[in-house]
Amino acid sequence: MNNPSVITPSEPRPILLDRGSGYQAGQVLFANDSRFMETYFSEPLTNYAVGWRDPNNIEASLQFIAPVVPVGRRFEWKMATNAEEFLSEVIDDQRAIGSDFKRVEFTASDVTDKTLNKGLTYIADLDNVSNPNWQNDKVAKLLRRLYRNEYRRGITAIAAAATNTALTWDTTAGKNPDQDLKNDLLTATSTTGIRPNRILYGDTAFNKRSLSYESQSGTSTAFGMIAALNLDQLASRLLVDKVMVSRERYQSSASAMSEIVSNLVFGFFAEDGVDTEDPSNIKRFVSSFAPEQGGGLVRVFVQQISAKLVAITVEHYSKIVVTYSGGIRKWTIS
């Protein structure tokens, strides 16, 4: 009978709880409080982590769906009553002689919240390291995993809040994938008064769009031209600010990777450089560390846990919140 605790080399290592013993080289652990002692704080590695950028730029994908909003550890964000923004009467702003202007009151509620502490620990065996910059490499490895986790959280949050529509983009004559989205974007705008300004395609969904148009290019050269639009041109066609195709994957089993977005398309409203009160659908609230601790959004600790084993821990504070669910659209493409 196989021992379920034994991990074969072909299997991805699971993230385990850091219980303070039983460490093995190459393990990635959920970081516990004992790793965050100031004596283990590494300023050089923290400075490296603050300036680090993923070669595949998954951080940009995360920023696209959930723009960063800097806040303290505890903060408030405003949940707007969207209908109040669009109330209108043709005479409500006219003042009668001898009286004051009419008073408008907004009833948006404040939500008290806090960012969550997140982190991972990597266990390195000193006999297995030869690169003099091996600590930087392990920090980068943990950062990629942390950002991928955040991105998946953002996609899960926006998918749960969205209004879903099933669409078929195949080679059938007369298919028009862009018009399908434009029709629903009009509905979303009439529902909330704010037009979604960002569209995110999954890799599979965008491929289906291309195949649908390309299959009809023999009927009309216009279809071929539409299929060849770059993302900026497609954004103009859809009357939105930005379009992005998500190509990110994650290890979903011992032998396979899966797309994070896949056959889905999302439409939502988001802007960079926002605060806690703007009408974005989704935000990623983040907290910075004190200047003496690097002053950035991440912090790194290094701890020698035995003669040969070293624990490298990366932590950050964040929380992804759907601050307003109105108008978020999800299209499931088959």
Side-chain angles (χ1 to χ4, degrees), residues 66-141:
V68 163
V69 180
V71 293
R73 282 282 289 111
R74 295 187 180 276
F75 63 98
E76 288 186 350
W77 55 270
K78 193 169 291 293
M79 181 182 292
T81 304
N82 196 59
E84 294 179 345
E85 296 289 335
F86 298 93
L87 290 176
S88 175
E89 297 177 15
V90 295
I91 60 171
D92 69 347
D93 53 358
Q94 296 178 11
R95 186 181 68 86
I97 298 298
S99 63
D100 291 329
F101 289 114
K102 291 183 179 179
R103 186 175 62 208
V104 175
E105 294 183 355
F106 294 103
T107 60
S109 58
D110 291 324
V111 179
T112 301
D113 216 327
K114 67 176 182 179
T115 53
L116 304 176
N117 191 206
K118 301 165 186 174
L120 293 172
T121 296
Y122 180 86
I123 306 300
D125 188 323
L126 295 179
D127 281 348
N128 293 334
V129 298
S130 56
N131 180 357
N133 294 319
W134 70 270
Q135 290 186 338
N136 287 355
D137 294 342
K138 301 312 178 188
V139 168
K141 189 182 189 79

Side-chain angles (χ1 to χ4, degrees), residues 152-306:
R152 290 183 66 194
R153 286 188 191 100
I155 293 299
T156 299
I158 207 167
T163 298
N164 181 63
T165 301
L167 298 172
T168 301
W169 292 349
D170 55 21
T171 58
T172 304
K175 289 289 181 178
N176 193 338
D178 294 352
Q179 191 59 49
D180 287 341
L181 300 195
K182 290 164 74 174
N183 290 341
D184 208 14
L185 288 172
L186 285 173
T187 301
T189 307
S190 296
T191 300
T192 67
I194 302 174
R195 185 180 177 87
N197 68 336
R198 294 186 179 183
I199 303 292
L200 178 71
Y201 289 82
D203 217 357
T204 292
F206 196 76
N207 188 56
K208 287 180 178 292
R209 173 193 178 273
S210 299
L211 287 173
S212 183
Y213 280 125
E214 288 167 357
S215 66
Q216 302 178 69
S217 60
T219 306
S220 170
T221 56
F223 287 117
M225 294 172 64
I226 293 171
L229 293 177
N230 62 41
L231 296 185
D232 288 337
Q233 292 168 331
L234 180 55
S236 296
R237 176 172 166 81
L238 297 175
L239 300 179
V240 298
D241 295 339
K242 294 181 181 180
V243 170
M244 178 177 281
V245 180
S246 172
R247 298 180 174 89
E248 290 79 13
R249 266 72 170 170
Y250 69 100
Q251 195 75 31
S252 55
S253 70
S255 59
M257 290 190 182
S258 297
E259 297 175 57
I260 294 179
V261 182
S262 188
N263 67 323
L264 304 178
V265 184
F266 294 102
F268 54 94
F269 184 84
E271 292 182 310
D272 296 334
V274 297
D275 58 22
T276 57
E277 298 185 4
D278 84 292
S280 292
N281 287 129
I282 183 169
K283 300 173 184 176
R284 179 171 174 255
F285 298 104
V286 297
S287 301
S288 298
F289 293 100
E292 61 271 16
Q293 298 172 332
L297 300 177
V298 294
R299 194 165 57 161
V300 182
F301 299 83
V302 178
Q303 180 187 6
Q304 186 100 23
I305 56 179
S306 70

Side-chain angles (χ1 to χ4, degrees), residues 48-49 51-61 140-141 143-145 147-148 248:
Y48 169 79
W52 175 86
R53 291 293 178 271
D54 177 22
N56 296 319
N57 213 2
I58 194 170
E59 191 175 0
S61 300
K141 189 182 189 79
L143 284 169
R144 283 194 294 272
R145 192 157 185 166
Y147 279 124
R148 184 170 287 105
E248 290 79 13

Side-chain angles (χ1 to χ4, degrees), residues 9-73:
S10 62
E11 293 178 323
R13 287 182 179 270
I15 300 180
L16 306 173
L17 292 176
D18 186 349
R19 302 187 182 278
S21 62
Y23 300 116
Q24 297 178 21
Q27 283 181 324
V28 176
L29 309 172
F30 289 112
N32 64 29
D33 290 344
S34 66
R35 301 282 171 228
F36 301 138
M37 295 176 61
E38 292 303 318
T39 53
Y40 305 141
F41 174 67
S42 173
E43 184 175 358
L45 287 178
T46 296
N47 290 338
Y48 169 79
V50 168
W52 175 86
R53 291 293 178 271
D54 177 22
N56 296 319
N57 213 2
I58 194 170
E59 191 175 0
S61 300
L62 177 58
Q63 176 69 10
F64 183 84
I65 64 163
V68 163
V69 180
V71 293
R73 282 282 289 111

